[in-house]
Amino acid sequence: MQRFSFLIDYSLHLWYYSFGRSIKGGDFTEKLLELGQIKHSGRIAELDFLKGIALILMILNHIFFDLSQFFSADVSRFDLFASIVGKLSAVMFMTLCGVSATLGKRNVQNGLRLLFLATALSLATAVFDRVAGTEVCIKFGILHFLSFAMMLSCAVKKLPVWATGILALASYALGKYFSAVFVDAWFLFPLGLRTRQFSSGDYYPLFPNLCFVFLGIIIGKTLYKNRKSLFKRQPGLIKPLCFLGRHTLILYFVHQPIILAVLYVVMKICGQ
């Protein structure tokens, strides 16, 4: 358990020294939100609601991962469930990214902001691996993918719906082909082309995953062409999930240290 205590303490300090100290003058949380949020003229509640659900599914997936990776807990009976919720969460985030791209006007700027945070996360996890002896370095995770997807969407959303649909099918087919082959060029991993030695703690290459973003662009251009909610009234029960959906970026960064701390306390109480 001493190792897990070190992991929690290190992850919290790594978080602070990697991000907190680099941003001065004002509340850190507000600055991070300002860096990473996608700015629209108005919020569409059902999109925030779906982002909130995707965030919860991601957290569930990471709980099982942390139990297995850091606490050596036998959670193999939940492998199928963890895999399903993890993949569903990623698909939801990627599709919603495409929908949001049709509503936003600053996709390149937002993409660059997110790429900056994704790069910082890669550096932080690389340092974590070296110090803690783990293999969780994120080389091209969901944040890297979404940052590039945002920037690419500027061009794609100008295409006709039918052309976007063709791109979606082509992206899926190309990704399936890439996943079946290995290459010697190590730098092609963002495209989905890997060497046999490649590993990443979180990996979402551009192909085939761009197909979900393109699907989201189609949804945005057809269902949200007026940039308004599809529902006249929003039930009050969805407000908590909408709140989570509006703050997915900051919650993405802080959820792992929180999960590790909670699991550490639970395992201590249970005498593990």
Side-chain angles (χ1 to χ4, degrees):
M1 295 298 291
Q2 289 181 348
R3 181 191 177 208
F4 304 136
S5 178
F6 162 76
L7 289 173
I8 294 170
D9 182 69
Y10 179 79
S11 63
L12 291 172
H13 280 77
L14 187 61
W15 163 248
Y16 173 72
Y17 283 103
S18 295
F19 302 103
R21 285 169 60 98
S22 64
I23 302 176
K24 302 181 183 295
D27 180 72
F28 166 61
T29 299
E30 291 180 0
K31 292 294 183 181
L32 178 58
L33 285 170
E34 182 181 342
L35 275 173
Q37 68 184 356
I38 302 174
K39 298 178 180 178
H40 301 312
S41 57
R43 307 292 305 194
I44 296 180
E46 61 264 30
L47 299 183
D48 287 332
F49 173 74
L50 291 172
K51 289 177 185 177
I53 291 178
L55 181 70
I56 290 176
L57 293 176
M58 179 194 71
I59 291 173
L60 284 174
N61 173 265
H62 287 178
I63 287 174
F64 289 110
F65 173 83
D66 291 345
L67 282 169
S68 175
Q69 180 76 16
F70 299 118
F71 296 91
S72 301
D74 182 11
V75 292
S76 57
R77 72 185 71 178
F78 302 105
D79 283 352
L80 179 60
F81 172 77
S83 176
I84 291 174
V85 297
K87 291 179 180 178
L88 180 59
S89 170
V91 169
M92 290 178 69
F93 274 128
M94 290 185 284
T95 305
L96 290 168
C97 173
V99 177
S100 298
T102 66
L103 304 173
K105 298 179 180 179
R106 303 181 63 188
N107 292 318
V108 172
Q109 296 94 321
N110 289 324
L112 290 173
R113 290 189 184 102
L114 191 58
L115 182 59
F116 168 78
L117 294 174
T119 303
L121 182 62
S122 292
L123 294 174
T125 52
V127 173
F128 187 90
D129 274 359
R130 182 170 291 274
V131 174
T134 57
E135 294 183 0
V136 296
C137 178
I138 299 175
K139 296 176 182 175
F140 201 84
I142 191 68
L143 293 186
H144 301 77
F145 170 81
L146 292 176
S147 66
F148 279 94
M150 287 179 189
M151 291 183 279
L152 289 171
S153 67
C154 289
V156 176
K157 71 178 185 179
K158 297 177 181 179
L159 298 175
V161 168
W162 64 266
T164 307
I166 292 176
L167 281 180
L169 292 174
S171 299
Y172 180 81
L174 192 61
K176 285 299 180 181
Y177 171 74
F178 284 172
S179 66
V181 299
F182 293 97
V183 297
D184 295 326
W186 63 270
F187 54 85
L188 295 177
F189 63 88
L191 300 177
L193 290 167
R194 304 155 295 155
T195 64
R196 293 187 181 274
Q197 295 77 30
F198 176 80
S199 66
S200 180
D202 187 33
Y203 186 49
Y204 288 94
L206 294 176
F207 303 105
N209 295 308
L210 278 174
C211 72
F212 300 111
V213 178
F214 296 157
L215 175 62
I217 290 176
I218 293 173
I219 293 172
K221 292 180 69 173
T222 54
L223 297 183
Y224 293 100
K225 57 185 178 181
N226 295 323
R227 300 173 182 267
K228 294 181 180 180
S229 172
L230 301 179
F231 304 94
K232 293 183 178 180
R233 294 183 179 180
Q234 306 296 337
L237 293 176
I238 74 170
K239 287 184 178 180
L241 285 172
C242 289
F243 174 82
L244 294 178
R246 289 194 299 271
H247 301 93
T248 49
L249 182 61
I250 182 65
L251 292 173
Y252 177 89
F253 276 100
V254 303
H255 81 281
Q256 274 289 31
I258 293 174
I259 290 175
L260 286 171
V262 171
L263 290 178
Y264 174 76
V265 171
V266 171
M267 297 299 277
K268 271 287 190 181
I269 294 174
C270 295
Q272 298 287 332

